[in-house]
Amino acid sequence: MELSPTGRVILGMVAVEPRSGYDIKRVVDNSTRFFWAASYGQIYPELKRLAERGLIEPDAEPEGGRRRTRYRITDAGRAALAEWIRNPDLAHELRDEGLLKLFFAGLLEREDAIAVVEAARRRHVEKREALLAIGPRAAATERFGPLAVLRYGLGMSEFAIDWCDETLKQLKETD
Amino acid sequence: MELSPTGRVILGMVAVEPRSGYDIKRVVDNSTRFFWAASYGQIYPELKRLAERGLIEPDAEPEGGRRRTRYRITDAGRAALAEWIRNPDLAHELRDEGLLKLFFAGLLEREDAIAVVEAARRRHVEKREALLAIGPRAAATERFGPLAVLRYGLGMSEFAIDWCDETLKQLKETD
DNA sequence: CTGCACATGTAAACGGTTACATGATTGA
DNA sequence: TCAATCATGTAACCGTTTACATGTGCAG
């Protein structure tokens, strides 16, 4: 049972616990957004498609309060999710605009190239701060995954910052 | 002058030296594909659009041999490219399906989660090999950028492999 | 009673991949 | 003469973002 790209995040988020589209948007913005974002324009139609295919189903109606549709995963959904996670192949290419800028930075004057690397460094520092801020949230889930991926993100940020420093040194000492 | 996402790689590749669509595909597949790929379906229409906007122009017709259209960058093109590179903001989100799988791996049985990390490790080792293989090509350009980004990719791969090892250790020792 | 967060959706426009189609040139 | 590689392109389909549209419930 093939899942669409964003269908996978959504199904995963529903697999963790029953969630509405709004819930999913919120939790994605606080976790996977660093490597996989999702917009409402994707979430709501995709929830309907997943429900039509029997991979998720509406949970019990809310007791009073706001109108909302919370979905829970079905057995078929769990199977489809596991099938995707277990498959070692990746369907999607990585895309990193920051690296593309760095790749071409040498076409500019040296001062400009330095500014490009400095901007990249700033972004990585910001990202590290953002990851540190969501740390407690990830630590709260006892499940393996969020915390490990957070460690990954922090390590990557550290590496990237060091790389920027080293690259700046090289760029500056070439006289 | 706003550039489209893939217009940027294409313009950058033409900025380095005059190139045809076919050339661009080949060089992208040997360099930026690790963080920004491009297909013919994007390249040829985009070359036309860039030419219509005066950012590139057809080079002199080939002296005999094969028919082909090689483009060279114009002053306006150089300005648009520099404008994009200098702008510190990124228009595009990172997307990494491998991390998404790892994020949700804890929903599976422990053996399955271990297999997911092992698959990720294998991918990172393969990527490192691929980067090492294109190393000489990147070193051949004296321009700053390709080599620096290659160093980045290699460092990232090393880090990712170490992270997988550490994560596997953690997953296995939790009895 | 006002503004904010909750909550769900649609339509248009854009971006990107894949499959298909075509044909020339070169080297074995 | 055959296969590989050079070379360019289009059309259909799918995915994604953005902007718009609508309405509820709660706290101050």
Side-chain angles (χ1 to χ4, degrees), chain B residues 16 81 86 90 115 122:
Chain B
V16 174
L81 184 66
R86 284 204 206 97
L90 299 184
R122 246 173 282 126

PDB file of all heavy atoms in Angstrom, chain B residues 16 81 86 90 115 122:
ATOM      1  N   VAL B  16      29.297  29.158 -14.530  1.00  0.00           N
ATOM      2  CA  VAL B  16      30.647  28.599 -14.423  1.00  0.00           C
ATOM      3  C   VAL B  16      31.309  28.581 -15.799  1.00  0.00           C
ATOM      4  O   VAL B  16      32.439  29.014 -15.960  1.00  0.00           O
ATOM      5  CB  VAL B  16      30.607  27.182 -13.819  1.00  0.00           C
ATOM      6  CG1 VAL B  16      31.989  26.553 -13.836  1.00  0.00           C
ATOM      7  CG2 VAL B  16      30.050  27.231 -12.403  1.00  0.00           C
ATOM      8  N   LEU B  81      21.949  36.016 -10.285  1.00  0.00           N
ATOM      9  CA  LEU B  81      22.572  34.915  -9.549  1.00  0.00           C
ATOM     10  C   LEU B  81      23.211  35.438  -8.256  1.00  0.00           C
ATOM     11  O   LEU B  81      23.016  34.873  -7.173  1.00  0.00           O
ATOM     12  CB  LEU B  81      23.631  34.234 -10.420  1.00  0.00           C
ATOM     13  CG  LEU B  81      24.296  32.994  -9.822  1.00  0.00           C
ATOM     14  CD1 LEU B  81      23.296  31.854  -9.663  1.00  0.00           C
ATOM     15  CD2 LEU B  81      25.484  32.540 -10.673  1.00  0.00           C
ATOM     16  N   ARG B  86      23.655  36.080  -2.459  1.00  0.00           N
ATOM     17  CA  ARG B  86      23.916  37.013  -1.351  1.00  0.00           C
ATOM     18  C   ARG B  86      22.776  37.087  -0.345  1.00  0.00           C
ATOM     19  O   ARG B  86      22.997  37.384   0.815  1.00  0.00           O
ATOM     20  CB  ARG B  86      24.142  38.425  -1.909  1.00  0.00           C
ATOM     21  CG  ARG B  86      25.510  38.606  -2.529  1.00  0.00           C
ATOM     22  CD  ARG B  86      25.908  40.070  -2.510  1.00  0.00           C
ATOM     23  NE  ARG B  86      26.849  40.349  -3.590  1.00  0.00           N
ATOM     24  CZ  ARG B  86      26.488  40.865  -4.769  1.00  0.00           C
ATOM     25  NH1 ARG B  86      25.225  41.187  -4.995  1.00  0.00           N
ATOM     26  NH2 ARG B  86      27.394  41.065  -5.698  1.00  0.00           N
ATOM     27  N   LEU B  90      16.577  31.573   3.091  1.00  0.00           N
ATOM     28  CA  LEU B  90      16.376  30.379   2.276  1.00  0.00           C
ATOM     29  C   LEU B  90      14.895  30.245   1.961  1.00  0.00           C
ATOM     30  O   LEU B  90      14.053  30.364   2.853  1.00  0.00           O
ATOM     31  CB  LEU B  90      16.857  29.132   3.010  1.00  0.00           C
ATOM     32  CG  LEU B  90      18.334  29.100   3.381  1.00  0.00           C
ATOM     33  CD1 LEU B  90      18.680  27.763   4.023  1.00  0.00           C
ATOM     34  CD2 LEU B  90      19.199  29.358   2.168  1.00  0.00           C
ATOM     35  N   ALA B 115      16.957  -2.459  12.393  1.00  0.00           N
ATOM     36  CA  ALA B 115      17.137  -2.623  10.940  1.00  0.00           C
ATOM     37  C   ALA B 115      17.030  -1.276  10.224  1.00  0.00           C
ATOM     38  O   ALA B 115      17.739  -1.025   9.245  1.00  0.00           O
ATOM     39  CB  ALA B 115      16.092  -3.590  10.395  1.00  0.00           C
ATOM     40  N   ARG B 122      23.991   2.084   6.165  1.00  0.00           N
ATOM     41  CA  ARG B 122      24.430   1.611   4.853  1.00  0.00           C
ATOM     42  C   ARG B 122      24.335   2.723   3.808  1.00  0.00           C
ATOM     43  O   ARG B 122      25.221   2.916   2.995  1.00  0.00           O
ATOM     44  CB  ARG B 122      23.587   0.405   4.417  1.00  0.00           C
ATOM     45  CG  ARG B 122      24.394  -0.880   4.331  1.00  0.00           C
ATOM     46  CD  ARG B 122      23.500  -2.082   4.075  1.00  0.00           C
ATOM     47  NE  ARG B 122      22.822  -2.513   5.281  1.00  0.00           N
ATOM     48  CZ  ARG B 122      21.506  -2.680   5.413  1.00  0.00           C
ATOM     49  NH1 ARG B 122      20.696  -2.425   4.401  1.00  0.00           N
ATOM     50  NH2 ARG B 122      20.992  -3.076   6.567  1.00  0.00           N
TER      51      ARG B 122
END
